[in-house]
Amino acid sequence: MAEDTREERIKYLINQYYAGTATVAESSELRSFLLQGDDRELIVAQLEELAGTAPEATHISDERLDTVFGSIVSSRTRQMPVRRYVYGAAAAVLALVVAGSIYFFTGEQQGVPTQQVAVAEILPGHDGAVLTLANGKQVVLDNQADGVIGNTEENISKKGGELIVDADAQPHNNTALNTLTTPRGRQFALALPDGSKVWLNAASAIKFPAAFAQEERTVYLSGEGYFEIAKKTDAKGKRVPFRVVVNQKSTIEVLGTHFNINAYEDEESIRTTLIEGAVKVSASTNNVTLVPGQQAAVTADHITVDKHADLEEATSWKNGLFVFNGRADLREVMRQLSRWYDVEIIYKGEVPDIAFTGEMQRNLNLQQVTKGLAAMGVNFKIEGRKIIIYP
């Protein structure tokens, strides 16, 4: 293909995809250009041109671009130089091809026609939660003003997307349990009375006291949470243990550490991923101690350990991303999208056998995400807040 002809063809394909009119063949052709890697400068320049027309265009860092292009376009095992460019509303849709929503599937593609769907705008999740105090009073935090939650003995306050428990203000140990719940499409952070911090993903809950007992610290988790545990010792200098009871099925004993727990009821196992420090994972009579970089999966009373866990994937939600490492199938991806966008997923017939690799920002709206799915041959339609997927 002549150079001028090739350049014009790439520009045409990019604009077709951005306009939402690219055919399956055109989307496949564009992916082929991306994978070849010979036209990166041209692709970036075209992104800059599109983004320049976006009224809400903003900059992202060179480091972020290196991550996006290095891990998606050139695969996770190769690096590529990139230039800073403007990444705004116009470029965001095209970024589904270049920066991760289109991903690059491994496994056999299903030979079905892509269904072009007009999707009502469904926004991504955001900060928000419901606080249920020990006395039964509920406070919706989404629009709650910053400051102390009114007339509470617990002296719990809100600051931005974080709930803060001030143990120093407690006249005595108030160990009655409060509950912080994030509905689907919400996330929130919590500063516990000992200074530990917890980030709750969507569709999750944590029970915690306004003040911990002297001899131990225990919280109760369902859903998914990322923990950074503060070290604490008693008057004799002995370490005060911190425990996370998960779905009443597993207990995580913490030795001062950072870790993520994924314990959604619709997942096959309870997965604890250790970032730093050490934790002991127990289930029934079995227990294992993890070192950084490992992940324990609890299924019934059985515990298996992955000694080389993908830490980026396990903690990506906290960093504002969806990250998939090639082992995530369509069902797993759709479960994550379902929680974040508060949509119901329905499968009609056999589920396509597709595996996902790549990353996507969690601040894209559902229409942008489904453009990427459609471009990869996932056959679906949208009805209200339902996504119906066909073979």
Side-chain angles (χ1 to χ4, degrees):
M1 184 183 298
E3 192 64 32
D4 290 346
T5 304
R6 180 186 182 93
E7 180 175 335
E8 290 303 315
R9 181 61 178 172
I10 291 173
K11 289 182 177 180
Y12 166 80
L13 292 172
I14 289 175
N15 282 281
Q16 283 291 98
Y17 191 85
Y18 169 67
T21 57
T23 65
V24 175
E26 287 171 338
S27 296
S28 178
E29 184 180 357
L30 178 55
R31 287 200 299 278
S32 295
F33 281 123
L34 293 172
L35 286 170
Q36 289 169 18
D38 297 330
D39 304 283
R40 294 166 187 153
E41 291 297 314
L42 172 61
I43 291 169
V44 171
Q46 187 68 6
L47 280 172
E48 289 176 333
E49 183 177 331
L50 280 173
T53 67
E56 57 266 84
T58 56
H59 290 280
I60 63 174
S61 67
D62 292 332
E63 181 181 0
R64 179 79 190 110
L65 283 173
D66 286 338
T67 300
V68 169
F69 280 86
S71 63
I72 306 304
V73 179
S74 192
S75 90
R76 287 185 174 275
T77 59
R78 295 167 55 196
Q79 297 296 320
M80 58 173 281
V82 294
R83 295 185 291 126
R84 177 183 297 254
Y85 68 94
V86 180
Y87 187 84
V93 175
L94 184 58
L96 299 177
V97 178
V98 179
S101 286
I102 213 168
Y103 303 110
F104 298 124
F105 286 162
T106 60
E108 185 175 352
Q109 297 265 356
Q110 302 296 313
V112 296
T114 300
Q115 185 173 359
Q116 298 295 331
V117 183
V119 183
E121 185 177 29
I122 295 179
L123 299 177
H126 55 81
D127 288 341
V130 177
L131 171 65
T132 304
L133 297 168
N135 63 10
K137 179 182 177 181
Q138 288 193 331
V139 181
V140 178
L141 300 176
D142 297 46
N143 299 315
Q144 175 76 24
D146 285 358
V148 175
I149 305 296
N151 299 320
T152 62
E153 296 180 357
E154 291 82 358
N155 202 37
I156 298 174
S157 61
K158 173 182 177 289
K159 183 178 181 180
E162 182 178 33
L163 199 67
I164 302 169
V165 185
D166 185 1
D168 293 336
Q170 302 300 319
H172 53 77
N173 281 355
N174 182 359
T175 57
L177 294 177
N178 309 285
T179 304
L180 182 65
T181 303
T182 50
R184 291 156 63 92
R186 300 290 187 272
Q187 64 182 21
F188 219 71
L190 170 65
L192 290 166
D194 64 341
S196 297
K197 294 194 67 171
V198 185
W199 287 261
L200 281 186
N201 202 350
S204 303
I206 186 170
K207 293 183 178 181
F208 62 95
F212 286 117
Q214 296 288 338
E215 65 278 2
E216 68 175 9
R217 301 170 289 170
T218 301
V219 298
Y220 301 82
L221 176 75
S222 61
E224 185 167 20
Y226 180 90
F227 291 77
E228 292 184 356
I229 304 304
K231 294 180 180 180
K232 184 179 180 180
T233 56
D234 61 19
K236 297 180 180 180
K238 183 180 179 181
R239 180 183 63 85
V240 178
F242 191 106
R243 296 184 177 90
V244 184
V245 179
V246 185
N247 294 349
Q248 302 298 325
K249 298 176 181 178
S250 176
T251 299
I252 315 301
E253 183 173 348
V254 183
L255 309 175
T257 189
H258 297 186
F259 59 99
N260 191 82
I261 301 175
N262 183 312
Y264 289 110
E265 293 285 0
D266 58 357
E267 298 291 346
E268 294 181 352
S269 61
I270 297 172
R271 299 191 300 277
T272 301
T273 308
L274 182 61
I275 312 304
E276 63 179 66
V279 296
K280 182 169 72 173
V281 179
S282 301
S284 187
T285 59
N286 299 315
N287 65 78
V288 298
T289 299
L290 299 182
V291 299
Q294 294 185 343
Q295 180 183 89
V298 176
T299 306
D301 295 335
H302 185 63
I303 305 175
T304 58
V305 176
D306 180 352
K307 295 183 178 181
H308 304 285
D310 190 325
L311 304 186
E312 180 187 17
E313 182 184 43
T315 61
S316 59
W317 67 270
K318 176 180 171 289
N319 300 319
L321 296 170
F322 295 99
V323 172
F324 306 109
N325 62 8
R327 294 181 293 184
D329 61 16
L330 181 61
R331 283 188 182 273
E332 181 176 344
V333 170
M334 297 311 294
R335 285 196 298 270
Q336 293 194 36
L337 297 181
S338 172
R339 296 177 197 127
W340 188 234
Y341 291 93
D342 189 16
V343 292
E344 180 182 359
I345 309 300
I346 299 172
Y347 298 92
K348 296 288 188 179
E350 185 176 352
V351 180
D353 182 17
I354 304 171
F356 287 65
T357 297
E359 68 181 46
M360 177 181 70
Q361 293 178 324
R362 281 163 64 98
N363 63 0
L364 300 176
N365 64 41
L366 187 63
Q367 185 176 20
Q368 293 171 320
V369 174
T370 53
K371 278 180 176 288
L373 292 175
M376 297 240 253
V378 177
N379 197 27
F380 66 92
K381 69 177 180 179
I382 307 292
E383 293 182 355
R385 299 193 77 92
K386 296 180 180 179
I387 301 179
I388 304 171
I389 296 178
Y390 298 90

